[in-house]
Structure formats: structure tokens, C-alpha cells
Amino acid sequence: MMKCDYWETEISFTTDDDIYIRGYDLVEMIGKIPFSHMVHLLLTGELPSPEVGRVIDALMVASIDHGAGTPSVLTARTAASGGACLKNAATAGMLALDKFHGAAVEDCMIVLQRVVDASRDPVSPRTIDEAAKFIVKEARENEARIPGFGHRQHPHDPRVDKLFNLTLEAGVEGIYIQASLDIAKALKNETGKDLPINIDGAVAAILCELHYPPGLGNAPFLIARLAGILAHSYEEIVKMPRMRRIDPVNHGYCGPARRKLPDQSNINKG
């Protein structure tokens, strides 16, 4: 282990000949370790099992883009339209990700942890369903919004079931996933409205299952969404007129028609 007179890091170090990430030789990992597994390694300190690695990969794929009308993409395109370079346009888009768009994972993880903690209270334990009802009722009384629920476009977010099924197949406990489902049910009972689990809520439940600290909850989503923001920024720079009026709703799609995935049998699954 390298020592320094000033400060130390547990994440990485380099020498004239080597690069090490969390103790692993980076050159040795090139071509062997998938990118999403490297993200998990950097954030948690350990490489994931193949099953957990597939979950991390899945939630990053699910988070990578959500169309041209999201606040982050509109911000990035507006910056690009004003003359910003690719880096600066994407930076502007990333700055638009916050409490109500793309960065609610951390706050949702805290809520889910409260539900699970309440169910494990040795003095007055509740079922997960009861704990969820209590948390929702408390939030309503305080006029507080529960992050990770409700979507302006999807009555039922199509990404959630797939992610939850993949996570349960990986052998996790499932208690946080159940907590999120029970919160959604309690919200409907309290408000009379369908407020489905959205991508932030799904990622929050999954990362709780994988024992991520809430402070890192937004990280996998942000890393994934940067790719989509970069793609939109580049398209704006190379295809659109400068200083245009960018309508947040009135836009169309002119890319490839719906197509089937190519054969995945030869892809390394980690």
C-alpha cells in the first residue's frame, strides 16, 4: 500500500508502469470486466458477482435515456444551440438533474430504509405494508412528496417490472422492492391516484437491496444518463440551427423504425 505525507485514498493509484483500481490491475481488467462492473467496483470497493453485475448493468441500461423532452436533455440542447461545445452542453444537462428529475434515488432510498427499519423495530414492529402506510400517511400530513413515485408520461413505468424481476432472480432478499410496491399501493389508497414507481424509485429499491449507501444512490443513474445527454448534445450541435426555439413537446422522431435485437448468444454476460 502506498503511503503519502498528506492524504490517502482507497480508490486507485498509479506508478510509472501500472494503474490499480481498488487493488486490481486496470490493464488486466481491460477486455475482461464490463464497464458497469467497474462502476460497481469504484463505488463499493468490490467487484460484483456475475448475478449482481447483471443487475447493475440492467439498471444502467434502463437509465440511459428517456427521450428529447426531459429537462436535462432540453437544457443540454439549449446550451448547445447557444454555441456550447459538447462537454459544456452535457455539463449543463447534468446540472438539470436534481430532486425531481433523475436525482431522486438517494432521497427515495432514505424513505425505503425508514419503511424497512420500522418493520424491524424490536419495540413496536410493523409489517412492511403497515410501515409503508405509516410513512405515506406521515408524508401526507406534512405535505411532503415521496420521491421515486409518479411519472408524467407512464401510467406504469415499463422499466420497473423488468428491473425488479432481474434483481429477484439474482437472489436478493427483496424486502426493499416489497417496500416500494407497498408505498405505491398506500399512495393510491391515500390520494386516489395511481403514482407508479418510476425509474428513480426502482433504482433506489435495487441499490438498497445491494447495500449501497444512500449517498451513492444517484451515482449509477447519473453515469448512465450522461451517455444519453451526450448523444442529444452532439445531435444538436451537428444537425440543428443555432439559437433555435426548442419546443419541449412539439418534436418528432426520425431515427430507425422499431427493430429486433440481434442475436445475443455470443455476448459475454459477465
Side-chain angles (χ1 to χ4, degrees):
M1 181 178 293
M2 298 180 68
K3 291 291 184 181
C4 175
D5 293 336
Y6 302 103
W7 61 279
E8 295 177 339
T9 175
E10 298 179 353
I11 299 172
S12 60
F13 72 90
T14 64
T15 69
D16 289 347
D17 301 310
D18 300 298
I19 305 167
Y20 281 85
I21 308 293
R22 300 284 193 181
Y24 292 104
D25 186 334
L26 178 64
V27 174
E28 184 181 354
M29 290 190 286
I30 294 172
K32 294 182 179 179
I33 306 300
F35 176 75
S36 59
H37 296 214
M38 286 297 296
V39 169
H40 185 84
L41 172 64
L42 277 169
L43 296 179
T44 70
E46 297 295 338
L47 284 167
S49 66
E51 294 79 14
V52 169
R54 282 193 286 273
V55 172
I56 297 297
D57 191 62
L59 70 84
M60 292 184 71
V61 169
S63 304
I64 202 164
D65 190 49
H66 196 261
T70 60
S72 53
V73 168
L74 291 171
T75 302
R77 283 181 174 271
T78 299
S81 184
C85 67
L86 180 67
K87 170 182 69 69
N88 290 347
T91 298
M94 292 294 286
L95 290 173
L97 292 166
D98 218 301
K99 295 292 184 183
F100 304 121
H101 168 48
V105 178
E106 176 180 344
D107 291 341
C108 186
M109 289 177 74
I110 293 170
V111 173
L112 294 173
Q113 189 63 61
R114 286 188 62 204
V115 172
V116 172
D117 287 346
S119 75
R120 294 170 173 170
D121 188 332
V123 178
S124 56
R126 297 178 171 94
T127 65
I128 290 292
D129 179 60
E130 291 169 342
K133 290 177 182 177
F134 173 78
I135 294 298
V136 169
K137 184 176 177 58
E138 182 184 65
R140 293 273 292 169
E141 289 173 350
N142 294 322
E143 298 183 350
R145 180 179 181 273
I146 296 183
F149 296 84
H151 201 287
R152 65 179 182 174
Q153 181 177 4
H154 301 304
H156 180 81
D157 194 320
R159 298 165 287 189
V160 172
D161 289 347
K162 183 70 174 284
L163 288 174
F164 281 176
N165 288 337
L166 286 169
T167 304
L168 293 172
E169 287 170 8
V172 304
E173 184 179 8
I175 190 169
Y176 294 96
I177 290 175
Q178 187 59 52
S180 68
L181 295 170
D182 285 341
I183 288 176
K185 184 170 63 175
L187 282 168
K188 183 174 182 178
N189 290 337
E190 280 282 332
T191 66
K193 302 175 184 177
D194 280 318
L195 295 170
I197 305 166
N198 58 36
I199 187 64
D200 292 340
V203 172
I206 292 167
L207 293 183
C208 282
E209 299 286 0
L210 300 181
H211 309 296
Y212 270 62
L216 281 173
N218 291 326
F221 181 97
L222 294 174
I223 293 167
R225 186 53 64 92
L226 175 59
I229 291 172
L230 283 164
H232 284 280
S233 299
Y234 182 70
E235 183 181 69
E236 186 70 31
I237 289 169
V238 300
K239 292 189 175 181
M240 302 298 182
R242 300 288 76 87
M243 295 297 292
R244 72 185 183 98
R245 294 180 182 274
I246 303 177
D247 193 298
V249 177
N250 188 23
H251 57 266
Y253 173 72
C254 60
R258 293 184 182 184
R259 47 185 172 171
K260 294 186 178 297
L261 283 173
D263 181 15
Q264 305 291 295
S265 59
N266 294 323
I267 292 179
N268 179 9
K269 297 183 179 180

